[in-house]
Amino acid sequence: MSAPIATISSIGKYEGQSVTLRGWLYNMRASGKLLFPIFRDGTGTIQGIVPKAQVGDEIFETIKSLSQESSVIVTGKVRADSRAPSGYELDVENIEVVQRVPTDEPFPISLKEHGTDFLMQHRHLWIRTPRQSAILRVRATIMRAAQEYFDTNGFTRTDPPILTPNACEGTSELFEMDYFDDEKAYLTQSGQLYIESTALALGKVYSFGPTFRAEKSKTRRHLTEFWMIEPEVAFAGLDDIMALAENFLTHIVHRVLEFNSQDLKVIGKDVAKLEAIQTPFPRISYDEAHAMLEQAYKEGKIEHPHTYGDDFGSPDETYISNQFDRPVMVHRYPAAVKAFYMEPDPQDPTKALCLDVLAPEGYGEIIGGSQRVSSYDLLKSRIEAHNLPLEAFQWYLDLRKYGSVPHAGFGMGIERVVAWVCGLEHVRETIPFARTLNRIYP
RNA sequence: UCCGCAGUAGCUCAAUGGCAGAGCAUUCGGCUGUUAACCGAAGGGUUGUAGGUUCGAGUCCUACCUGCGGAGCCA
């Protein structure tokens, strides 16, 4: 096989030439002495044409007996064909079988429908299917675009530790483990407190890594292990990070539109909804959002009334986000329902200088952030009021002792963004191997 | 933790309390342009587990197990 090695996604440039593809048999149809094997190589799929009269008995029988997902090295001539979905077909000339899938134990993921449990139990194989591969490519673009945005806007990446000595916020359920002989360690649930310190060292920073929540949530929006990207900016306030959040999200969506149009097509996402994502994003205060919900309840559009002062529930967030065609930024929640480190609004100290970004189409909160308390005394009293161990937060208080400045940041959950951008039912499809309440296999 | 739904062939699902079924997958046969191809045939079952009601339970009752969806909490 002396033909050049090609990939399916860029096979068009070899039209009329013989090429070698390395991949797997995705599916095969047959019509008497004519075979239609479909090959995939991780970049796409292409249909091969195998007429018995032209390839000879040996090659014909070799291909005819191939089972789904057998690995092959196949050589053939690239031919443009209007009947092919991708525009090209491969007139097979030769094939080398790398490994034959045994027919008494065929590839489990057939092309028919499967249930969630079965697919998740075979996630290591499920990711070979075109839709799942497309989602993982979109995820990769989103992660790359997110880093690219910060890297090209003066941010320095500073990753916080994954093993932490205590609860960052003192609220969420944490995964606990032994740390050598007589200490406990916890998997990080947010790197925020740590990047506040790197922000005061480097100015504009971000972190990007896995985050763990041991909460027993089982909804389409929750994973116990998920990836979060968090910027933190010194000398910045709420307005600054609201502007940052909308520019950041817009950049990400544009990059996906630029690089993944074919994947979005496979996934079945309406691209027009993504093209509508442009700055500025609508901004509403908590009070305005509450008024919206009150009106909606009067009109019978939501089931339960929203109590002023409470955080928004999932159905509330869905209703609010459905009123807009792009992400909506809700700001200035009551301080009482938010974390202890959030700066009070000088105009109304009962409110926090915070924001939630709610994705369109009911995908919920994709970004949460705030301006941080910069006063030593206020932060200390907040820690005490929340019954948090002061000694554990001593280093955090130091940031307010040695050159404290106003600073702000947010965290964005990658999986929820992928789910929103792709239009998926569930975040478990947005990560190669989802960790959920009832599943840690494979 | 609470509320709801489900569990039958490798997979997706049927079966009024009365003989355990179909499609896909697999094997064999047919078909030279198929698009989750199609046509014919074959093999494939401890109906999640344990108990109970009944002449008779996949079906009704109880408990448990597993999974799914939602709430709360969060990104």
Side-chain angles (χ1 to χ4, degrees), chain A residues 306-327:
Chain A
H306 176 253
T307 308
Y308 186 83
D310 285 359
D311 205 349
F312 300 123
S314 277
D316 300 329
E317 287 183 352
T318 299
Y319 177 82
I320 294 167
S321 69
N322 280 341
Q323 308 313 304
F324 304 95
D325 66 347
R326 62 194 73 182

Side-chain angles (χ1 to χ4, degrees), chain A residues 357-371:
Chain A
V357 179
L358 308 179
E361 302 167 64
Y363 282 96
E365 186 183 342
I366 52 174
I367 281 178
S370 68
Q371 186 172 330

Side-chain angles (χ1 to χ4, degrees), chain A residues 95-243:
Chain A
I95 192 162
E96 177 189 334
V97 179
V98 180
Q99 191 253 331
R100 190 181 289 275
V101 175
T103 54
D104 58 340
E105 277 189 86
F107 189 70
I109 317 285
S110 69
L111 301 182
K112 294 285 180 177
E113 287 176 16
H114 298 283
T116 302
D117 186 36
F118 179 80
L119 290 170
M120 289 305 289
Q121 204 67 19
H122 295 83
R123 181 61 176 170
H124 52 300
L125 305 176
W126 186 24
I127 52 181
R128 297 186 185 191
T129 60
R131 178 183 165 86
Q132 295 304 312
S133 294
I135 293 167
L136 293 181
R137 278 190 290 268
V138 171
R139 174 189 173 91
T141 297
I142 287 172
M143 292 176 120
R144 190 172 64 244
Q147 295 176 77
E148 171 189 65
Y149 182 88
F150 292 132
D151 289 341
T152 55
N153 281 281
F155 286 74
T156 302
R157 177 169 171 171
T158 59
D159 290 326
I162 301 215
L163 295 176
T164 62
N166 63 283
C168 283
E169 303 178 20
T171 52
S172 300
E173 293 285 329
L174 300 174
F175 286 105
E176 185 185 286
M177 56 186 287
D178 291 329
Y179 197 68
F180 301 114
D181 292 338
D182 50 4
E183 268 194 280
K184 292 290 183 192
Y186 304 86
L187 295 180
T188 179
Q189 56 137 354
S190 166
Q192 184 207 310
L193 272 52
Y194 290 100
I195 60 170
E196 283 187 49
S197 63
T198 61
L200 298 197
L202 296 154
K204 292 162 75 174
V205 301
Y206 75 102
S207 71
F208 193 16
T211 304
F212 307 87
R213 303 275 167 91
E215 274 151 6
K216 298 197 171 179
S217 300
K218 40 178 185 177
T219 76
R220 69 183 67 182
R221 300 178 303 281
H222 287 90
L223 298 171
T224 54
E225 176 183 325
F226 65 97
W227 282 64
M228 188 150 70
I229 190 160
E230 300 175 274
E232 189 74 31
V233 185
F235 294 104
L238 179 62
D239 289 342
D240 299 311
I241 59 157
M242 285 173 79

Side-chain angles (χ1 to χ4, degrees), chain A residues 45-109:
Chain A
T45 60
I46 189 169
Q47 174 165 277
I49 311 299
V50 187
K52 188 174 189 177
Q54 284 165 46
V55 301
D57 287 3
E58 192 181 328
I59 292 174
F60 185 85
E61 288 303 324
T62 297
I63 297 175
K64 190 183 177 187
S65 65
L66 277 181
S67 36
Q68 188 190 358
E69 286 300 315
S70 290
S71 42
V72 295
I73 298 172
V74 60
T75 300
K77 189 172 283 183
V78 180
R79 177 171 43 75
D81 193 307
S82 59
R83 288 167 294 192
S86 65
Y88 295 96
E89 292 189 333
L90 191 74
D91 288 323
V92 174
E93 295 163 340
N94 206 347
I95 192 162
E96 177 189 334
V97 179
V98 180
Q99 191 253 331
R100 190 181 289 275
V101 175
T103 54
D104 58 340
E105 277 189 86
F107 189 70
I109 317 285

